[in-house]
Amino acid sequence: PVVDRVLEKGRLLCLDEFQVTDVADALILQRLFGGLWENGCVLVATSNRPPRDLYLHGLQRDRFIPFIDLLEEKCAVVNMLDSATDYRMLTPFASGDHPVYFSKGQTDDFEALFNNLVEGSEVAPTHLETQGRKVPVPMASLSHSVAHFSFHDLCEKALGAADYLVIGQNFETVFCHSIPKLTIDHVNWLRRFITFIDNMYELKVTLVLQTDAESIDDIFVVDNKEDYSQDEVFAFDRSRSRLEEMASKDYLTLKWLGEAGN
């Protein structure tokens, strides 16, 4: 009768957070689902455990094993942890409908995106620690893993790779505004900006930038690179390529590799 009542409502059964904690439930599942499958029911379920680990260490679990065998026979098992995409963490950027780079005159749009992403959560200054020193974060939503910096905060101060690394490890999305149009006279700022981008890229951080230049491509431009001996002049070509990739849908759906992601 239970099987018939379920099938009267449809032949597709979707269960979220499938788990078995009670011995009585464990012992009736094979009869229930066996009847459903025999009558053409399709089961789609999510679980925090693979089928083989359901009701692990439960009483009389040996009598539950035949149901696990049947479940694995009737259902394809998909391990979401094997995916490079963390679907729980998809942001508005992943659809490709929201830009991640803003140019001169788009500060309001940049700030509106930040406010949209933090969704009214508490936003306040904080700090991180690395190598025995503090790294100030001027504004952050810890609950949404979003940080907000100016270019002055990140690249005009004496920060290095370890500082950028700890930022990327702790924040899934990083906003940086007021990036000036750089020249070779700003080589130290440029060097830090390159290092910052490299660390965000390696940790698959979502990077949202606002520049005072006409576009991201115009942040640093020289007429003839061969006229300069500084490595940064050539290294920024790689950074420009990475920034292009970091704005792509493929990148924006990748799993963040920071501490929370591990």
Side-chain angles (χ1 to χ4, degrees):
V2 175
V3 170
D4 293 338
R5 288 202 299 270
V6 173
L7 292 174
E8 284 175 2
K9 297 180 180 180
R11 295 185 179 274
L12 175 62
L13 179 61
C14 299
L15 302 176
D16 192 24
E17 300 289 347
F18 188 97
Q19 59 180 322
V20 183
T21 59
D22 181 82
V23 63
D25 293 342
L27 297 179
I28 66 172
L29 284 177
Q30 184 168 2
R31 290 180 59 190
L32 172 61
F33 282 97
L36 290 171
W37 284 321
E38 287 175 3
N39 287 276
C41 182
V42 175
L43 172 67
V44 179
T46 67
S47 177
N48 291 323
R49 293 177 176 270
R52 192 52 55 180
D53 288 346
L54 288 171
Y55 197 49
L56 195 64
H57 308 305
L59 294 174
Q60 302 181 48
R61 187 174 187 270
D62 58 314
R63 298 176 60 185
F64 182 67
I65 298 299
F67 170 70
I68 294 178
D69 295 336
L70 184 62
L71 182 64
E72 292 180 333
E73 175 188 337
K74 296 293 185 179
C75 299
V77 179
V78 179
N79 185 352
M80 301 302 289
L81 295 178
D82 288 340
S83 172
T85 301
D86 187 349
Y87 293 94
R88 300 167 303 169
M89 308 305 287
L90 291 186
T91 69
F93 312 117
S95 66
D97 297 332
H98 295 266
V100 291
Y101 301 146
F102 297 84
S103 57
K104 188 175 183 179
Q106 294 183 306
T107 303
D108 290 346
D109 295 331
F110 173 87
E111 295 298 342
L113 182 57
F114 175 80
N115 291 328
N116 176 58
L117 199 61
V118 300
E119 300 179 311
S121 61
E122 181 180 358
V123 175
T126 186
H127 70 270
L128 306 170
E129 293 189 6
T130 183
Q131 298 182 349
R133 65 179 183 275
K134 293 182 178 181
V135 180
V137 181
M139 191 160 52
S141 168
L142 299 180
S143 62
H144 285 58
S145 190
V146 181
H148 187 291
F149 296 87
S150 69
F151 181 85
H152 175 77
D153 298 323
L154 287 173
C155 300
E156 295 182 26
K157 297 181 180 179
L159 272 64
D163 304 295
Y164 302 135
L165 180 63
V166 77
I167 291 170
Q169 288 174 334
N170 283 272
F171 292 103
E172 188 176 351
T173 304
V174 174
F175 282 67
C176 176
H177 67 88
S178 302
I179 304 170
K181 188 168 184 177
L182 299 170
T183 70
I184 197 62
D185 294 330
H186 305 121
V187 67
N188 288 329
W189 299 357
L190 179 63
R191 182 182 301 119
R192 294 187 191 112
F193 189 52
I194 291 169
T195 305
F196 168 67
I197 293 169
D198 287 345
N199 278 272
M200 299 304 105
Y201 178 86
E202 294 299 333
L203 289 167
K204 301 301 176 266
V205 170
T206 297
L207 194 58
V208 184
L209 304 178
Q210 184 274 322
T211 177
D212 297 333
E214 295 302 319
S215 71
I216 289 295
D217 287 339
D218 296 322
I219 288 176
F220 178 70
V221 178
V222 293
D223 293 331
N224 185 358
K225 290 185 292 186
E226 301 300 330
D227 291 341
Y228 301 93
S229 60
Q230 292 88 343
D231 290 340
E232 289 75 18
V233 173
F234 300 90
F236 193 75
D237 285 342
R238 184 192 69 230
S239 299
R240 187 179 287 110
S241 176
R242 286 191 164 182
L243 286 172
E244 181 178 349
E245 180 182 347
M246 292 169 81
S248 70
K249 185 175 180 179
D250 287 344
Y251 177 92
L252 292 169
T253 55
L254 292 175
K255 185 186 299 183
W256 174 49
L257 301 182
E259 288 181 353
N262 292 329

